[in-house]
Amino acid sequence: MGDWSFLGRLLDKVQSHSTVVGKVWLTVLFVFRILVLGAGAEKVWGDEQSDFICNTQQPGCENVCYDLAFPISHIRFWVLQIIFVSTPTLVYLGHVVHVIHREEKISLSMQNETQDDHASPVTKKLSKMSKYTKGKGKVRIRGSLLCSYLLNVIAKIMLEVAFIVGQYYLYGFMLEPQFVCDRFPCPHRVDCYMSRPTEKTIFILFMLVVACVSLVLNVTEIFYLCFKSVHNLMQKKQKNFTATPTAPPKDDGHLKNKEHMFQNWVNLETELQGKTLEFMKSADREEEEGKEQGPPAHPQGSAVYAHPSSGRTSQIAVKKVTFM
């Protein structure tokens, strides 16, 4: 098996751009897959074809029986599984590097603009802000990076499921010591035997459990990202609500006094209009009585009243009306 150091260095860079669950997934990948595969599994399998023995001397029969029993070696199958499962993470890493490089260029150009004396304060403030990057080379998983990260996790889930199902259909999860083969050019049913079947079965089950754990971690990460997005959205709305607090309601005693004064004024105005109307009616009656009795003398304290409809004037005594 080849050297895993290059892939390990690339995946190590992803840790600073992943969630907590993503970091656990990377730890499982390093320790329980790459390390175990390189340290133990390769030595257990070794050259399994030379240890695959069949009770026949027919040329080619042993080779075709081995090909039927193991369409692909377990070691190579797990190597392919690790590479394919790690590929979406490496694609996400490429997207992160692209975003960081783009924001560095934008920040550099805005810093050059802020050096100008005519630069606005808004431009100077924006030059210090970034949408995705934050201190110490880390990124904020939101926006396009969040979509990229979700696609990365979904792709890993699909690949994990595909490899688990593929392993089951290729050679199952248990190895039997004896394998019966009747494939051409074998002249009859041939019994073949493999070395260390129990030890190999233990490694197969171990790698299956690790794959299932990785699958569960990926599903958990999707729920974690959804919960975190909803939580951030609710916090943002709560900050918007608390940013413009409403003034507390004042004591309405002053308002009640104003309403009471206004009502008194309306009542007084109505009373004045009623008394004015009564005065006009009494003046009309005195005018009619004066016509019947003749023009009266002008006593002291009298006044001339002109009726608005007749246009004539008459002398009437002005009554002193006191408005309460």
Side-chain angles (χ1 to χ4, degrees), residues 12 24 40 49 57 69 107 115 152 177 191 259 274 288 317-318:
D12 186 53
V24 175
Q49 186 174 2
Q57 297 295 327
S107 177
Q115 292 177 358
N152 155 46
D191 295 329
E259 291 179 354
E288 291 176 358
V318 178

Side-chain angles (χ1 to χ4, degrees), residues 128-170:
K128 300 178 181 179
M129 298 174 61
S130 58
K131 183 179 180 181
Y132 295 107
T133 58
K134 54 184 180 179
K136 298 180 181 180
K138 297 182 179 180
V139 296
R140 299 181 180 92
I141 303 177
R142 63 182 185 181
S144 61
L145 278 182
L146 179 60
C147 295
S148 177
Y149 197 86
L150 280 173
L151 291 176
N152 155 46
V153 177
I154 292 172
K156 289 191 292 187
I157 291 174
M158 296 174 64
L159 289 170
E160 291 282 11
V161 172
F163 273 94
I164 291 174
V165 174
Q167 181 177 347
Y168 174 77
Y169 279 103
L170 281 175

Side-chain angles (χ1 to χ4, degrees), residues 14-239:
V14 186
Q15 281 197 338
S16 58
H17 311 307
S18 303
T19 62
V20 177
V21 184
K23 293 177 181 178
V24 175
W25 180 87
L26 287 171
T27 303
V28 172
L29 179 67
F30 281 126
V31 177
F32 297 102
R33 280 190 163 177
I34 297 177
L35 187 59
V36 171
L37 187 62
E42 190 176 18
K43 294 180 180 179
V44 171
W45 258 262
D47 189 9
E48 66 264 31
Q49 186 174 2
S50 61
D51 297 331
F52 190 80
I53 301 173
C54 299
N55 56 355
T56 180
Q57 297 295 327
Q58 179 69 26
C61 179
E62 190 172 302
N63 291 335
V64 297
C65 289
Y66 175 81
D67 182 69
L68 182 62
F70 301 103
I72 181 174
S73 170
H74 284 80
I75 298 296
R76 295 179 180 87
F77 180 83
W78 290 328
V79 169
L80 288 176
Q81 185 178 8
I82 292 173
I83 292 175
F84 274 88
V85 169
S86 303
T87 299
T89 305
L90 297 179
V91 174
Y92 168 72
L93 176 63
H95 187 200
V96 170
V97 173
H98 169 70
V99 168
I100 293 175
H101 180 66
R102 184 182 60 188
E103 288 213 341
E104 285 179 353
K105 288 179 63 178
I106 294 174
S107 177
L108 183 62
S109 62
M110 295 189 72
Q111 284 178 2
N112 293 333
E113 292 180 2
T114 55
Q115 292 177 358
D116 187 4
D117 296 336
H118 301 287
S120 62
V122 178
T123 305
K124 294 180 180 180
K125 186 176 181 180
L126 288 175
S127 63
K128 300 178 181 179
M129 298 174 61
S130 58
K131 183 179 180 181
Y132 295 107
T133 58
K134 54 184 180 179
K136 298 180 181 180
K138 297 182 179 180
V139 296
R140 299 181 180 92
I141 303 177
R142 63 182 185 181
S144 61
L145 278 182
L146 179 60
C147 295
S148 177
Y149 197 86
L150 280 173
L151 291 176
N152 155 46
V153 177
I154 292 172
K156 289 191 292 187
I157 291 174
M158 296 174 64
L159 289 170
E160 291 282 11
V161 172
F163 273 94
I164 291 174
V165 174
Q167 181 177 347
Y168 174 77
Y169 279 103
L170 281 175
Y171 27 66
F173 303 128
M174 304 288 290
L175 290 181
E176 298 294 336
Q178 182 181 6
F179 179 77
V180 180
C181 173
D182 56 355
R183 201 174 188 181
F184 181 81
C186 296
H188 50 78
R189 293 173 63 90
V190 176
D191 295 329
C192 299
Y193 302 93
M194 61 187 71
S195 64
R196 294 177 290 188
T198 304
E199 189 176 8
K200 293 178 180 179
T201 300
I202 292 174
F203 267 95
I204 291 172
L205 293 177
F206 176 81
M207 298 299 289
L208 176 64
V209 170
V210 173
C212 293
V213 170
S214 299
L215 181 61
V216 171
L217 286 174
N218 288 326
V219 175
T220 305
E221 191 165 16
I222 288 184
F223 285 105
Y224 173 78
L225 289 171
C226 295
F227 173 77
K228 189 175 180 181
S229 300
V230 173
H231 180 68
N232 292 338
L233 183 61
M234 292 178 64
Q235 279 190 339
K236 187 176 180 181
K237 287 185 177 180
Q238 187 176 3
K239 287 181 180 179

